[in-house]
Amino acid sequence: MSTAITTPPAARADEGFLLVLSAASGATDAFAFLCLGKVFAGVMTGNLVLVGASVGAGDRDVVPRALTGLVGYALGAAAAAVASPRLTPRPLLVAETALLALAAGGWALGFGHALGSQLVLLVVLAFAMGVQARTWGTPTTYFTGTFMKLAGRLGKREAEQADRWVAGRLGAVVLGAAVTSLVVWWSPAAAGAAGAVLCAVAAVAFASAARR
């Protein structure tokens, strides 16, 4: 039976929203990695590895950056966990969009080129990604488990129609990161814009779906 028949319109709208949110995650991580010292805002496994790898590499600057990402992400996830019983996801998404826009604006104004200011931007970005990860049950910032389960189902030839959306979210992360990479090449000052714009689009899409 086809997905077009079995998937209600509301569910398809939710999946479309999650695709955009995943792209925003990819764009934000690419911004952090390319512009703020080669660490991540949403991939905490990567930051943990970078802390360990820096011991042998002797790169002292990566440690405070990676640790800042870890702390910011943890604070964002904790804040969302505390707020979620009192708030619907919509204001949390709006808050995330505002944080990404704040970081993008700071970078555009020349903030974030020294280590101290980079740490400020990293904690803002990571906080936003922590909020996103904790608010949505469907993964949109971390995909190792998602990728593993998809690969397992494909290997056992047990893929489902819903796996198209899973693969779509994985592709959206790559696309979001590619968009940021192109923006960095074209206009470095606008490097943070892609993540903020995509998150804003997701917020509008979520609000539209909620009104249906």
Side-chain angles (χ1 to χ4, degrees), residues 38-40 42-53 62 66 70 144:
K38 300 190 182 305
V39 296
F40 300 100
V43 184
M44 293 303 104
T45 303
N47 283 341
L48 288 168
V49 171
L50 287 172
V51 171
V62 75
L70 289 163
T144 302

Side-chain angles (χ1 to χ4, degrees), residues 181-192:
S181 178
L182 290 173
V183 172
V184 170
W185 172 77
W186 175 67
S187 178

Side-chain angles (χ1 to χ4, degrees), residues 14-26:
D14 288 344
E15 290 290 359
F17 152 74
L18 292 172
L19 289 180
V20 179
L21 205 57
S22 298
S25 171

Side-chain angles (χ1 to χ4, degrees), residues 1-180:
M1 191 174 294
S2 70
T3 305
I5 296 174
T6 59
T7 305
R12 291 198 297 270
D14 288 344
E15 290 290 359
F17 152 74
L18 292 172
L19 289 180
V20 179
L21 205 57
S22 298
S25 171
T28 300
D29 262 322
F31 170 45
F33 189 84
L34 294 173
C35 300
L36 302 178
K38 300 190 182 305
V39 296
F40 300 100
V43 184
M44 293 303 104
T45 303
N47 283 341
L48 288 168
V49 171
L50 287 172
V51 171
S54 68
V55 174
D59 187 354
R60 296 179 180 178
D61 286 345
V62 75
V63 174
R65 291 185 177 99
L67 290 178
T68 296
L70 289 163
V71 170
Y73 191 92
L75 290 174
V82 171
S84 57
R86 304 175 179 83
L87 299 174
T88 63
R90 183 178 178 182
L92 294 175
L93 183 55
V94 171
E96 177 192 347
T97 303
L99 289 171
L100 295 181
L102 180 65
W107 175 261
L109 293 173
F111 188 76
H113 295 281
L115 177 59
S117 55
Q118 285 179 355
L119 297 182
V120 173
L121 293 185
L122 280 170
V123 77
V124 172
L125 294 174
F127 189 99
M129 290 296 98
V131 169
Q132 178 174 318
R134 182 61 179 78
T135 301
W136 310 104
T138 303
T140 58
T141 64
Y142 52 93
F143 292 93
T144 302
T146 301
F147 186 79
M148 177 271 295
K149 291 176 182 177
L150 176 61
R153 288 193 294 271
L154 291 174
K156 294 172 66 177
R157 298 182 181 180
E158 296 176 353
E160 305 169 354
Q161 292 289 343
D163 285 329
R164 295 180 181 180
W165 290 110
V166 175
R169 281 186 282 115
L170 293 170
V173 173
V174 176
L175 181 60
V179 169
T180 290

